[in-house]
Amino acid sequence: EQKGITYLLQAMPDILIQFPDLTLLIAGDGHLADNLKAEAKGLGIHDHVVFAGPRLDMPEILKVLDLYVLPSLWEGLPMVLLEAMAAGCPIVATDVGGNSMAIKNGINGRLIPSKSPQHLSQAIIELLDNPGLRNLYSQKGKDIFKNNFSARAMTSKYEILYLNKA
C-alpha cells in the first residue's frame, strides 16, 4: 500500500493512449501483488505491465529505464531514489516524506501530489514526450547524487560533524 502502485496502474490507461508501446515494470513483492495483478487486468493494461518480483539487479535495471516512478503515499528518504539518481534515471515521485530531499522539482525530477493518477499520468507523459528534459533530469540527478549522497560526500559530511563535536 505504501508504494502507491495502484495509482500508477490507474494512470496507465491515459499514458497508453499517447504511448501504446509502453511497458510498465514493477519490481518487488508484497501481500498486495495479486490484487495489483487483478487491477491491471481489470483496467485492461495487463499486457503492458510486467510484475518482475524481487530483484537484486536494480542498479543495472535502472540504467536502461526511460523513467523511474515512485508513487508512494509515505516515505522516509527511499534508497531507490538515490539509486535511480546515481544510475541517471529521470524520476517522477510523489512529494511525500524525504523525497524532496533528493528530488528538486523541475531540476532533477518531478514531484507530484500523492494519490493522484491524473498528476502521475501528466508528469509521465510530459517526460516521455520530452527526451531533452529527461536528459536534463538524468544529468542533474547524477550531479546531485555525486555532490550530496555519494559515499565520498557522505563521508565528508560525517567528518565535519564529528570534528565539530570533538
Side-chain angles (χ1 to χ4, degrees):
E1 182 181 351
Q2 172 189 358
K3 297 302 179 188
I5 300 300
T6 185
Y7 300 102
L8 181 54
L9 293 175
Q10 292 168 25
M12 281 295 289
D14 288 341
I15 297 165
L16 289 169
I17 291 169
Q18 289 196 313
F19 297 94
D21 296 328
L22 185 79
T23 299
L24 172 63
L25 174 68
I26 299 175
D29 199 9
H31 69 280
L32 295 177
D34 289 337
N35 294 9
L36 294 171
K37 291 174 184 174
E39 183 174 5
K41 193 166 195 132
L43 289 167
I45 61 169
H46 61 280
D47 289 341
H48 296 274
V49 182
V50 174
F51 289 90
R55 302 297 303 219
L56 298 175
D57 57 349
M58 281 310 296
E60 291 80 17
I61 290 173
L62 288 166
K63 289 179 183 175
V64 299
L65 297 179
D66 293 315
L67 188 61
Y68 181 79
V69 180
L70 186 65
S72 300
L73 306 184
W74 70 91
E75 286 288 352
L77 174 56
M79 185 62 69
V80 70
L81 284 185
L82 303 181
E83 292 171 341
M85 290 168 61
C89 192
I91 298 169
V92 172
T94 49
D95 192 4
V96 298
N99 289 354
S100 63
M101 293 175 65
I103 306 303
K104 306 304 175 202
N105 190 44
I107 295 174
N108 69 319
R110 287 288 310 276
L111 289 173
I112 59 163
S114 66
K115 299 181 181 180
S116 177
Q118 181 181 6
H119 284 100
L120 274 170
S121 64
Q122 288 172 348
I124 291 167
I125 289 168
E126 176 189 10
L127 284 174
L128 291 176
D129 208 25
N130 192 335
L133 186 57
R134 285 198 319 270
N135 288 335
L136 176 68
Y137 286 176
S138 172
Q139 189 56 55
K140 292 290 186 183
K142 285 184 199 177
D143 293 344
I144 289 172
F145 174 82
K146 180 181 175 187
N147 293 330
N148 298 307
F149 300 104
S150 67
R152 179 171 295 190
M154 296 304 290
T155 300
S156 177
K157 290 176 185 180
Y158 280 119
E159 285 176 350
I160 291 168
L161 176 70
Y162 288 127
L163 292 175
N164 285 337
K165 294 289 182 179

